[in-house]
Amino acid sequence: MSPELRTLPIRVIDCLKLCYKLRERSESITTSISDATVTQLFKWLGEHGYVRYTPYHGVELTETGQQMATELVRRHRLLELFLVKVMGFPLDEVDGEAEQIEHAISDAFVERMDALLEHPTEDPHGDPIPNKGGGVVVARSQPLSTVSPGQQVVVQRVSDDDPDLLRYLAELGLIPGALVQVESVAPYGGVYTVRIGEQTHAIGDMVTQAVLVRPATPDPVSGSMLSSKPLGEHA
């Protein structure tokens, strides 16, 4: 972690990571928030050159802010994967655990983790892990809610915003890498019946929108299901 990053308040670091995450999802980073503390935080980031700040319109990361946010996200997501693969933490706990220790570990520790994990491209939730140069490998995916009955898909990515939802997904086995058969879909945005392994489950719209999937077999038209890109470009 650069000396400059080590001097930043934790709330600033968390805000930079949030900006990265929202941009990654193609969601706007808006400042139309009634919370005066958040507004002041964006203003501080703007004054220090990390974001371009326009009151009541939004913010965007500057080149400096993007570089710092990418470094922070890389560190956080490598830690999450380390906690799952090496230490056996469940999916719903790794975000909080990584938050506790990511500010204390050295750059050498981060690179040792990267090597130990064989230079992974995805964290345990399926989110892309930036490489040292800031690039990411992104698998093409779609919400489970868009899959038709009879299709077989593989879970690519799950939302990590809600620990309770993550715990529920883990109980169902609806986690990255799981093979899912869509059995039926009730009409008018109804319940999805899916088979995961030997188990069949009925799941609602909130779940199907939080789970991104890819075809169980590569698309013969596009050939590859992966694209390598810098943040901000979309597959």
Side-chain angles (χ1 to χ4, degrees), residues 122 128 136-140 156-157 225-229 233 235:
E122 297 170 357
V136 291
V137 176
V138 182
R140 296 184 177 91
Q156 175 61 39
R157 196 170 178 178
M225 293 184 296
L226 299 176
S227 64
S228 181
K229 61 179 185 176
E233 295 178 8

Side-chain angles (χ1 to χ4, degrees), residues 86-108:
V86 178
M87 302 191 70
F89 276 85
L91 274 184
D92 59 289
E93 294 181 11
V94 292
D95 182 62
E97 289 292 335
E99 289 279 357
Q100 294 295 317
I101 58 180
E102 64 188 5
H103 311 294
I105 61 176
S106 68
D107 292 342

Side-chain angles (χ1 to χ4, degrees), residues 99-221:
E99 289 279 357
Q100 294 295 317
I101 58 180
E102 64 188 5
H103 311 294
I105 61 176
S106 68
D107 292 342
F109 189 98
V110 173
E111 297 314 315
R112 287 286 183 94
M113 276 196 304
D114 188 34
L116 178 66
L117 296 168
E118 299 181 337
H119 310 292
T121 58
E122 297 170 357
D123 76 1
H125 308 105
D127 293 324
I129 298 175
N131 59 30
K132 288 188 71 173
V136 291
V137 176
V138 182
R140 296 184 177 91
S141 59
Q142 64 188 90
L144 180 56
S145 59
T146 65
V147 177
S148 302
Q151 287 188 281
Q152 196 172 60
V153 293
V154 174
V155 177
Q156 175 61 39
R157 196 170 178 178
V158 294
S159 172
D160 63 352
D161 292 337
D162 184 347
D164 290 333
L165 176 58
L166 272 175
R167 195 173 304 116
Y168 178 60
L169 294 176
E171 290 172 358
L172 296 178
L174 203 56
I175 58 176
L179 184 65
V180 180
Q181 174 79 29
V182 178
E183 301 284 355
S184 64
V185 182
Y188 306 109
V191 173
Y192 268 58
T193 301
V194 299
R195 180 160 46 86
I196 307 165
E198 300 300 319
Q199 301 294 320
T200 301
H201 304 281
I203 55 178
D205 186 60
M206 181 178 294
V207 172
T208 59
Q209 290 191 30
V211 176
L212 297 180
V213 298
R214 66 177 190 270
T217 55
D219 184 344
V221 176

Side-chain angles (χ1 to χ4, degrees), residues 5 7 15 28 31 60 105 111 124 152 177 184-185 197 203 216 220 223-224:
L5 272 177
T7 64
C15 190
S28 62
T31 59
E60 62 177 328
I105 61 176
E111 297 314 315
Q152 196 172 60
S184 64
V185 182
I203 55 178
S224 173

